[in-house]
Amino acid sequence: MALRSRPRSTALGAAAVVAAALGTALASGTASAGCHPDPRDLLMTYQPVDHTVTDAQYLRARLTLSHTGRACPLGGGWTMYFNSVRQPAAVLAGAPGDLARRRLADQGLTVARGDRARSGDFFALRPLAGFRPVAPGERRKIDIDIELWTIHKSDAPAGWSIAFGNGPARWLPAKTLLDPDDPKQTKAFSGDRRPVQNAAIRYAENTSTKVNLTLRQRLVPQPLSATASGGTTRVGGGSAVSAPAALRGEARYLREALSDVAGGEGAPITLRLDPKLDVTADGKPDAEGYRLTVGGRGVEIVGGGRAGVLYGVQTLRQLVPVDAYRARTSTVPVPRAVVTDAPLFGYRGLHIDVARHFESKETIKRFLDLMAFTKLNRLHLGLTNDEGWRLEIPGLPELTGFGARRALDPPERRALHQGMGSVNDLGGGDGITGKARSHTEANLGRRPAYQGFEQSTLNFVGKGSGHYSARDFQEILRYAAERHIEVIPELNFPAHARAAVQAMERRAQRGDTTYRLLDPADTSRHVSVQYYNDNLVNPCLKSTYAFLGKVVGEVKKMYTSAGAPLNRLNLGGDEPPGPATGWWNGSPACASNPETAGKSGEELADLFFTKWNAIAQRAAPATAGWEDVTDPRRELRLKNFAPLPWQNVWGWGREDWAYRFANEGTPVILAHATNLYLDLAYNKDPDEPGYYWAAYVDDKSTFTYQPFDVYANAVEDRWGNPVTPGPDWVRLTERGRRNILGIEAQLWGENGKTEGLREYQAFPKLLGVAERAWNRDTPTPQRMPAAWNVFTNTLGQVTLPLLSHYKPVGAPGGGVNYRIPLPGARLDGGVLTANVRNPGMPVEYSTDGTRWRTYTGPVKVGAYALTRTRAADGRVSRISPVGVPAWQGGTAYAPGALVTHQGELFRATRPGTGRGPDTSPGWWTLLQ
C-alpha cells in the first residue's frame, strides 16, 4: 500500500512546475540538479519471488520502489542504507556473488557493505552511472539475489534510509510482502516439507476438548496436591496479615497484590516459616515448598523458607477468580482448600537478551513479577553482545557512551553502526532524520497490535540504543531479590564482544590502552554467523584480563550496594567466529607472549576461559556459560562452572551434549533450542515474528518438553522431516539426572523490538516452561496428550483471561500481550466450522470484515469467511481467512468483497474493475 503524499511546501510546489516544464528531459532520465523526491513519497517493498533458482544457496527476491510524489524523479547521487539478516548475494565471493553483481549492474545498481569496517548486517544500495531515474508515479521493480531463504517476514531487510550526496540520511518507508499461497515464496529449498500454517491445518491441530477443571488443574504450574473442601473465604487488600519480621517483605508483597484486585477488609492471613516443612514426604525439608490452607477462619501460608512463602502467595493470587481481576472490588472469594507444593528443579530460569535490542527497567520488572507469579527464580540477563553493551561501568564511559549507542555512522566515530534495523528507536540524535513520529506512522498508518509481524519493525521501531545506569541496575536487583529471583549477569566473551571491543578501541585511540581488547597488528581473518569480522577478544593481552577484572569488580559492587546475591555469573562464550584455526593465528601479541606462543586457536580459547572463569569467581562463587565453552569431547573443565547446552538441533551433532556433561558429573542447565527458545517463531506462518533456525517453538513445544529424555521430542526437524533418535546419542543415567540443575528458557532480542513483541513471544510459551521446571510430575510421552488437553483448557479458561488483567506488583502497567491463538476453520458446502486451540476462548466470524458475530456452532456463511479469536480484555487475534479468493485483474468487485493479494487481506470499498488492491487505496481497505 503506497503512502499518501503529505502536504507539500511552496518550494516543492515550485519544483513541480519545473518538473512539468522539463517533462521531456525527465522522461529521458535527465533531472535538474538538486531536485530530489521527499523520502516520504517513496516506499520500498521487499518480497521473495523464487526459492527454486538455487537449492538452499540463494533466492530471487524483488525490491519494488514506489514513487508517489509529483515533482522530482529519483535520479543518481543517492545511497540507500539498510540492514538484512540475510546477506545480499552480491557481497559474496565467487560465482554466486559475480552473478548477483551482474544482475544488479544490469539494473544500474550496486550493493556493498554499509560501514567502513565492512562488518555485520549493514548494507548500502547505490545507483551506477547508467541508472534510469524513477519517475513520479512509477513503481520500479528491482531483482536482487539474497542468500539462503526468506520464508518469514522477519527475514526481510529493515531500517531503510536514503541520503542524497553528502546530505543527511532520511527515513525511507518500507514494508515486506510474502504470499503464503505461493510455494516459490514459502518453500525454502527442496528439503523443506513443512506446510504453511492456515485455517485448515489449525483446525486439524486443535484437538483439545473442553473439560471441567479441578482446583489443581486451574493452577499453573500444577501443584503437588490441591484439595478443595467446599465454600469460599473472602480476602482483600485490607485483610490483616500477620507475619514474623523475617517475612516482612512477603507480607508487604501480599498486601499490594491483593490491593490490586480488592481494597476492602477480608479474612485474616497468616504467613509463617517451618524450616522442617517436608511436603514431598521424602524425609528432607523443602526450602521452596509451601502449604496453603484456606479455611473458614482465614488463610495460612507456611513455607520451608521465605521463597516458599512467596510461592504460596502466588498460588493464592491464582485462586482469585478471573472476574475479580477485571474490576477491582471490596473483597474477593477464594476457594477453601489445602494446597501443598514444592518444585522439581532448584534452577528455573528465563534469559532475556537486552543487548540486541534494549528493554527498559520497567519492562524487566514486569517480566520479573511474571516470573515470580509462575514460580521461576533465575533471570539470566544478557547485558552484552556484538550489537550493544547495556550496563554502565564506572571508569569505562566508552562502554555506554559508544557501545550502548547505534546510529547511521558508517565510520563509527560516535556509535556502533545501525544494526538489526534499529538505531535510537523513533527518537533523534542517531543520524537519521524524518523518522515516523509514532508506532502507527511507522506501521504505515495502521495502529500495530503486535499480535504477529508488523511493518513498523522495518521502520526503525526498536531500541537499538540504551543502557542501565548503575542505579537502574541496582533497582532491578532489589526488585528481583524481593521476589526471590537471582539475577545472573551475562558478560559475553571472547566472541559476540564487538560492542566492548570497539568501545575500548575508541578509548585506545585517545591514548589509553590499559583495557584494550584487540591486537592492532593482528592479521587473523574470521567472520561470525552474524557477519562480524572484528568482534573477537584477544586472549594474549594483559589488557584483556585487566578489562575483565575491572568490569567484574564494578558489577560486584552493584550487587553489594543493592543487597542482592551474586551467586553465579555467566561467561557467555558462544559462537566463536569461523574455524578455530583462524583464531588469533595472525596476532604478533600471541606469538611474542611466552604463555601463548605456539598455542593453537583452541588452546588459546581454553586458556582464556580458564582465566576468565577465575576472574569471574572473584565476584561469584559459581559461573555458567554456553555449551561452546567446554566441549564434552575435549579435556577443558572449569571449576564451579555449569554449561548451558543449547544447540541440540536434530541432525547437527550436538543432540546429546547435555547428557554427556551430566553423566560425567558436570552440573548442567538445560537450554535446548528445539523446545526452550521462546523467540523462535510459533509456526510456519509468514506473519509469525521470529527466526526458525532450530525449530518452530510454541507452547506445546515447551509444555511437552522432556528434561530427562529430550530425544522423546525428536519427532521432526525444523523442515518437517521425520527424525529418528541416533543410536549413538548418549542417554541420561541416574547419576547424570542428579546433575541437571534445572532448565532455562531463552528470549533473544533480535526480533523483540517492542515490549509487546517480547510478551507475545514469551506468553503462553513461558507457562509451559514453568510447568516443566516446577511440576514434579512430568507426564510420560504416553500420558502427554491427556496432560496437554488439560493444559490448553487451563490456559483458555483461567490463565490467559487472568493475564489479560494482570497487574505487576510494584511496577507500572497492566495486562500481558500474550499471543491470542488464531482459530482453526473449514468450509464445507458454504457451512463454516471453527475451533480454537484453547477451549474457553470465544471465536468470531465475519463475511465482510466489518460485522463480527460470535461463533457458537456450524453456520452457513457462503463462499468464504473470516475468523478470529477474542481475548478476555477485548483484544483479538490476527484474522484467519477461510476460502477468500485471490484478487484477479479484470474482475468486477462490489463493495464489501474480500480478496487476498500478495499475502494481504483487502475489502472492496467501492465498485471497480482491474484496480490492484495494493495500488488503489481509494478502492480497497487493508484489513488487520
Side-chain angles (χ1 to χ4, degrees), residues 394-437:
L396 298 178
E398 296 85 1
L399 285 174
T400 49
F402 177 88
R405 300 180 61 220
R406 293 213 286 261
L408 188 83
D409 181 13
E412 296 183 292
R413 294 189 182 96
R414 58 190 178 90
L416 295 169
H417 64 64
Q418 173 182 316
M420 296 184 171
S422 68
V423 278
N424 188 31
D425 203 37
L426 297 182
D430 55 17
I432 298 175
T433 64
K435 283 185 292 186
R437 292 166 289 254

Side-chain angles (χ1 to χ4, degrees), residues 49-61 103 145-146:
V49 173
D50 192 353
H51 282 87
T52 68
V53 292
T54 65
D55 203 29
Q57 188 174 24
Y58 63 86
L59 72 138
R60 184 70 35 75
R103 190 181 312 283
D145 294 340
I146 302 291

Side-chain angles (χ1 to χ4, degrees), residues 194-473:
R194 188 177 295 278
V196 178
Q197 276 276 319
N198 57 30
I201 290 175
R202 284 190 294 272
Y203 187 86
E205 291 178 346
N206 293 342
T207 58
S208 295
T209 56
K210 192 168 185 177
V211 298
N212 293 321
L213 299 168
T214 66
L215 180 66
R216 179 170 180 258
Q217 291 169 343
R218 295 178 69 85
L219 300 171
V220 174
Q222 277 194 22
L224 272 173
S225 67
T227 305
S229 55
T232 61
T233 295
R234 301 191 75 87
V235 297
S239 291
V241 178
S242 60
L247 295 175
R248 187 179 297 113
E250 288 70 28
R252 181 174 60 251
Y253 184 93
L254 171 61
R255 291 189 189 98
E256 291 185 30
L258 288 178
S259 294
D260 285 338
V261 293
E265 294 184 8
I269 304 173
T270 301
L271 309 180
R272 66 183 181 89
L273 294 168
D274 179 3
K276 296 182 180 180
L277 184 68
D278 178 15
V279 297
T280 57
D282 62 357
K284 301 175 184 178
D286 296 312
E288 293 187 291
Y290 68 89
R291 182 177 63 247
L292 165 64
T293 304
V294 182
R297 297 184 177 179
V299 178
E300 181 186 61
I301 299 173
V302 181
R306 291 178 56 212
V309 172
L310 183 70
Y311 298 141
V313 168
Q314 302 296 3
T315 296
L316 180 62
R317 291 178 77 190
Q318 288 198 39
L319 291 178
V320 172
V322 171
D323 287 344
Y325 282 91
R326 292 191 177 99
R328 192 169 181 268
T329 60
S330 177
T331 60
V332 293
V334 291
R336 295 177 183 176
V338 176
V339 181
T340 60
D341 208 2
L344 172 63
F345 290 121
Y347 188 111
R348 305 178 299 279
L350 170 65
H351 165 237
I352 301 180
D353 163 25
V354 297
R356 267 59 182 275
H357 281 98
F358 184 64
E359 273 304 338
S360 69
K361 67 181 179 184
E362 288 77 20
T363 297
I364 298 302
K365 289 165 78 171
R366 282 171 56 83
F367 267 97
L368 283 165
D369 201 66
L370 285 162
M371 288 174 65
F373 188 68
T374 53
K375 303 181 175 69
L376 301 177
N377 66 352
R378 299 289 191 279
L379 173 63
H380 167 188
L381 197 56
L383 293 166
T384 75
N385 218 289
D386 294 318
E387 296 83 5
W389 180 285
R390 305 304 185 185
L391 180 61
E392 175 191 11
I393 300 297
L396 298 178
E398 296 85 1
L399 285 174
T400 49
F402 177 88
R405 300 180 61 220
R406 293 213 286 261
L408 188 83
D409 181 13
E412 296 183 292
R413 294 189 182 96
R414 58 190 178 90
L416 295 169
H417 64 64
Q418 173 182 316
M420 296 184 171
S422 68
V423 278
N424 188 31
D425 203 37
L426 297 182
D430 55 17
I432 298 175
T433 64
K435 283 185 292 186
R437 292 166 289 254
S438 67
H439 283 219
T440 297
E441 187 178 1
N443 207 41
L444 307 183
R446 299 168 64 244
R447 183 179 179 181
Y450 296 117
Q451 278 294 311
F453 177 85
E454 300 281 12
Q455 303 291 352
S456 61
T457 58
L458 303 182
N459 291 304
F460 293 110
V461 165
K463 301 180 186 71
S465 298
H467 72 277
Y468 306 118
S469 68
R471 181 174 295 180
D472 290 336
F473 189 58

Side-chain angles (χ1 to χ4, degrees), residues 65-154:
L65 183 58
S66 301
H67 188 343
T68 62
R70 299 176 182 175
C72 303
L74 180 67
W78 50 261
T79 300
M80 291 182 184
Y81 295 101
F82 64 97
N83 294 107
S84 182
V85 66
R86 308 289 186 208
Q87 296 182 105
V91 305
L92 303 177
D98 292 339
L99 180 63
R101 285 184 284 275
R102 285 196 300 271
R103 190 181 312 283
L104 279 175
D106 289 343
Q107 301 168 87
L109 294 165
T110 183
V111 70
R113 300 279 177 187
D115 64 326
R116 183 175 294 173
R118 301 175 61 82
S119 181
D121 69 341
F122 187 41
F123 303 97
L125 181 71
R126 297 183 175 93
L128 296 172
F131 178 73
R132 180 170 55 85
V134 181
E138 184 182 354
R139 301 177 80 226
R140 175 71 56 80
K141 294 180 179 180
I142 302 165
D143 287 339
I144 185 170
D145 294 340
I146 302 291
E147 69 170 348
L148 297 178
W149 41 73
T150 300
I151 59 174
H152 281 253
K153 293 180 180 178
S154 295

Side-chain angles (χ1 to χ4, degrees), residues 685-892:
D685 178 338
D687 281 302
E688 285 295 344
Y691 300 143
Y692 42 91
W693 59 266
Y696 289 98
V697 174
D698 61 7
D699 47 329
K700 190 171 186 178
S701 306
T702 57
F703 181 82
T704 60
Y705 179 63
Q706 297 282 314
F708 303 122
D709 183 14
V710 67
Y711 312 138
N713 299 111
V715 177
E716 60 182 20
D717 66 16
R718 59 179 173 154
W719 303 115
N721 299 291
V723 170
T724 302
D728 298 328
W729 292 357
V730 171
R731 293 277 172 177
L732 185 67
T733 64
E734 191 59 37
R735 174 175 179 253
R737 183 174 175 136
R738 294 194 293 270
N739 290 316
I740 304 295
L741 300 181
I743 68 176
E744 180 178 289
Q746 311 298 319
L747 190 59
W748 292 96
E750 293 95 328
N751 292 291
K753 294 184 175 183
T754 70
E755 177 185 0
L757 281 172
R758 296 272 191 164
E759 292 182 355
Y760 177 92
Q761 290 175 326
F763 292 95
K765 298 180 193 181
L766 191 61
L767 301 173
V769 176
E771 277 291 332
R772 296 288 69 84
W774 179 277
N775 192 337
R776 300 176 72 88
D777 181 20
T778 304
T780 63
Q782 293 72 31
R783 293 168 47 217
M784 192 60 80
W788 170 246
N789 190 75
V790 169
F791 185 66
T792 56
N793 274 268
T794 302
L795 298 191
Q797 296 182 43
V798 182
T799 314
L800 296 182
L802 190 157
L803 290 180
S804 282
H805 303 282
Y806 180 86
K807 294 182 179 179
V809 177
V816 177
N817 188 47
Y818 57 83
R819 179 181 184 271
I820 305 169
L822 280 69
R826 65 180 183 183
L827 274 172
D828 187 7
V831 175
L832 172 71
T833 307
N835 59 16
V836 69
R837 186 184 189 95
N838 301 111
M841 300 190 75
V843 172
E844 298 177 339
Y845 72 95
S846 174
T847 56
D848 61 7
T850 58
R851 296 180 295 273
W852 291 87
R853 301 175 177 86
T854 301
Y855 174 84
T856 57
V859 58
K860 186 79 171 179
V861 294
Y864 57 74
L866 308 177
T867 62
R868 68 186 187 187
T869 306
R870 182 170 292 277
D873 53 15
R875 295 177 303 122
V876 293
S877 70
R878 301 196 304 277
I879 292 174
S880 175
V882 191
V884 175
W887 174 79
Q888 297 290 331
T891 301

Side-chain angles (χ1 to χ4, degrees), residues 13-44:
V17 174
V18 174
L22 298 177
T24 304
L26 295 181
S28 65
T30 304
S32 59
C35 180
H36 302 300
D38 185 332
R40 286 179 176 240
D41 288 339
L42 304 175
L43 177 69
M44 180 64 82

